Amino acid sequence: MSRASRPLWQRTSVTAAAVLAAVMILSVGGPAAMAEPSTTPPKNAAPQQHTPPGPRTDQEANPGEGSPYPVAPKGKQILDLSVPSESMGRSIPIRVLLPADTSKPRPTLYLLNGAGGGEGTGTWFAQTDVVNFFADKNVNVVVPMSGAYSYYTDWQKPDPVLGRNKWTTFLTKELPPVIDKRLNTTKVNGIAGISMAGTSVLGLAESAPDLYRSVASYSGCAETSSPLGQLYIRLVVEGRGGANTTNMWGPYGGPGWRANDPIVQAGKLRGKSLYISSGTGQSGPYDKLDGRDIGGDLNKLVDRVLVGGGIEAATHQCTVNLQNRLRGLGIPATFEYSPGTHTWEYWQDQLHRSWPQIARSLGE
């Protein structure tokens, strides 16, 4: 097929597609079909926290009735914890998938949700087969169920909408000792995340270089201080979260943005097992009219292809930039690219594909 005969979203350049997606999300209201589903805040959330309704993208769509991956009931494998955070002044809900065999200490995989932070329906538990996938594996899977639009980082200032966020402190200093003591772990850790958290896991690994042996980033934008990286972050924090992004790392272009840029700080990833993936933004096997969450609705398909494809095109560009940076530093990493949009089905596939590498790094 010639370039001219391809659909518009397959002919749009990576940068143009990213800008198109950002404009659509950041515009007031956005497409009606992209309204954010309502979320239920955690019981111990700070009183000032409020998540306003706003645009949502396909990556955290509500599966609706008949989802093949309903939230699993609590049972032998699932443990829910409430872990106090002194730095944030509240308790954080944590869901744990326990190892198949708990007779001896096991390693831990910290698995982060996307932009919604696990506070709505966009979670690994509701959108993927994560419970069944890990049912026969000997690893503790620890999933924070809070942190919407926070980038799981330490914010410089409290935000009127999102409250006080000190996620780097919580995830690297406050939570691991609780998990290690409560679950009798080997203290060998990995971390993985999607979308917003695909950026965060890289930054967390760089901020605590001795904590994680393995890092897996799925469809994250690995840069924050570039114009493209800042545009992507504003799409999430402002366009979806309704918060003030400068409360996070200070003025745009300031030192806080470079200090938290995974590409700028990439040398700190040396010695870790790195698995980094992104779709190209072009339509893949799950982007079809009869696909899950599409249900024959042409408008939903167009939203996924244009907006989800544009967002994934942006993460693809960020990922290529990270690959070039790591190559220049002589740091080995596994990179995987394939057609696809910013959607849960692709992230489930990437979790499955990356697991053998993650497991080896954790000693399993």
Side-chain angles (χ1 to χ4, degrees), residues 255-274:
W257 289 81
R258 288 185 60 81
N260 288 280
D261 190 319
I263 287 183
V264 173
Q265 306 297 329
K268 297 177 182 179
L269 295 173
R270 191 180 303 276
K272 302 185 187 306
S273 173
L274 302 173

Side-chain angles (χ1 to χ4, degrees), residues 128-206:
T128 76
D129 66 351
V130 67
V131 175
N132 290 334
F133 178 71
F134 283 107
D136 62 349
K137 295 172 177 59
N138 287 314
V139 62
N140 299 287
V141 181
V142 176
V143 188
M145 302 301 288
S146 184
Y149 316 120
S150 69
Y151 266 85
Y152 289 115
T153 189
D154 280 1
W155 286 44
Q156 293 183 3
K157 299 178 181 179
D159 185 81
V161 174
L162 297 183
R164 182 174 176 81
N165 289 291
K166 294 292 181 181
W167 287 98
T168 299
T169 298
F170 176 73
L171 291 170
T172 64
K173 297 179 180 179
E174 296 175 337
L175 180 60
V178 174
I179 294 299
D180 290 340
K181 182 178 180 180
R182 178 68 173 81
L183 302 180
N184 187 29
T185 75
T186 61
K187 298 184 180 180
V188 174
N189 306 306
I191 190 167
I194 59 163
S195 189
M196 177 190 83
T199 305
S200 304
V201 297
L202 296 166
L204 289 164
E206 291 169 348

Side-chain angles (χ1 to χ4, degrees), residues 294-315:
I294 302 299
D297 188 326
L298 184 58
N299 288 330
K300 289 182 178 180
L301 179 61
V302 170
D303 276 351
R304 173 179 290 192
V305 170
L306 285 179
V307 181
I311 293 172
E312 197 69 5
T315 69

